[in-house]
Amino acid sequence: MTQSGYYHDYKGRQQAGNRFEARPDDRYKRALRIKDKSKEQVKPAEKSRAIFKFPRLRAVALIFVLGLLVAAQYSAVQTMGYRVSEAQSRLSEIKAVNAQLEQEYAALGNLARIEKQATEKMDMVMPDRVLTYQPSKATLAAQKKEAEETAGGRR
């Protein structure tokens, strides 16, 4: 017979005259009852941590979360690509309108066109001769003298 701690303890109780003589299977049953009670009294914090006690479940959860992050990033990239293409199409439309307006501006600013509009639609007439005024030398000298006198009186 082997002298394990369990058997030796049982023998020791019998020889010491222990008043409750425990059989080897009683001790095992008592240990099972203690285990059952500890299972019944699970704390709420332990329940939430129970998912992390299983490494496979933890790995699957991690892969799932990483997959969600990749999907979210892909969605964000697609959205930005869509916005960029919309902005480029809008820019090309604006450039086309700008080119059209520049052509219209050049056409409206043409002097020959303005003259034609004035004579045809507004019934204006081009003058036959242009009158210009050129003062004589005596008039220029008098104006200069007058300017010096007014400037001298101020000093």
Side-chain angles (χ1 to χ4, degrees):
M1 297 226 185
T2 61
Q3 293 292 323
S4 67
Y6 177 72
Y7 182 74
H8 189 275
D9 187 42
Y10 172 70
K11 280 294 200 180
R13 285 187 185 185
Q14 279 185 341
Q15 289 174 358
N18 199 349
R19 59 183 167 155
F20 57 94
E21 293 185 15
R23 292 182 304 229
D25 60 332
D26 287 343
R27 191 171 188 194
Y28 175 72
K29 287 179 183 176
R30 196 175 325 136
L32 282 178
R33 275 184 273 160
I34 291 172
K35 266 188 175 179
D36 289 341
K37 286 181 182 177
S38 67
K39 284 183 182 177
E40 292 172 3
Q41 299 172 355
V42 176
K43 296 178 183 176
E46 290 178 8
K47 284 182 183 178
S48 65
R49 293 181 191 162
I51 193 169
F52 296 109
K53 290 184 181 180
F54 304 105
R56 286 185 184 167
L57 186 59
R58 194 176 345 165
V60 169
L62 180 64
I63 290 171
F64 180 73
V65 168
L66 289 176
L68 284 177
L69 289 175
V70 168
Q73 186 69 22
Y74 180 75
S75 174
V77 168
Q78 288 296 329
T79 303
M80 290 303 286
Y82 178 71
R83 287 182 182 172
V84 166
S85 66
E86 277 186 350
Q88 286 176 343
S89 65
R90 178 100 170 106
L91 179 65
S92 64
E93 289 174 7
I94 290 173
K95 283 184 177 181
V97 168
N98 191 25
Q100 182 184 0
L101 289 174
E102 284 178 356
Q103 288 176 353
E104 190 177 329
Y105 175 74
L108 291 175
N110 188 359
L111 290 178
R113 185 191 162 279
I114 293 172
E115 182 180 326
K116 184 179 177 184
Q117 290 285 329
T119 55
E120 290 179 3
K121 289 188 178 178
M122 297 181 186
D123 295 327
M124 292 185 170
V125 180
M126 289 292 291
D128 291 332
R129 63 182 190 151
V130 178
L131 298 175
T132 56
Y133 172 72
Q134 282 193 328
S136 65
K137 290 182 182 180
T139 309
L140 287 175
Q143 287 177 352
K144 188 176 183 183
K145 185 178 179 185
E146 187 179 313
E148 286 177 2
E149 288 175 1
T150 57
R154 290 184 186 169
R155 290 184 185 172

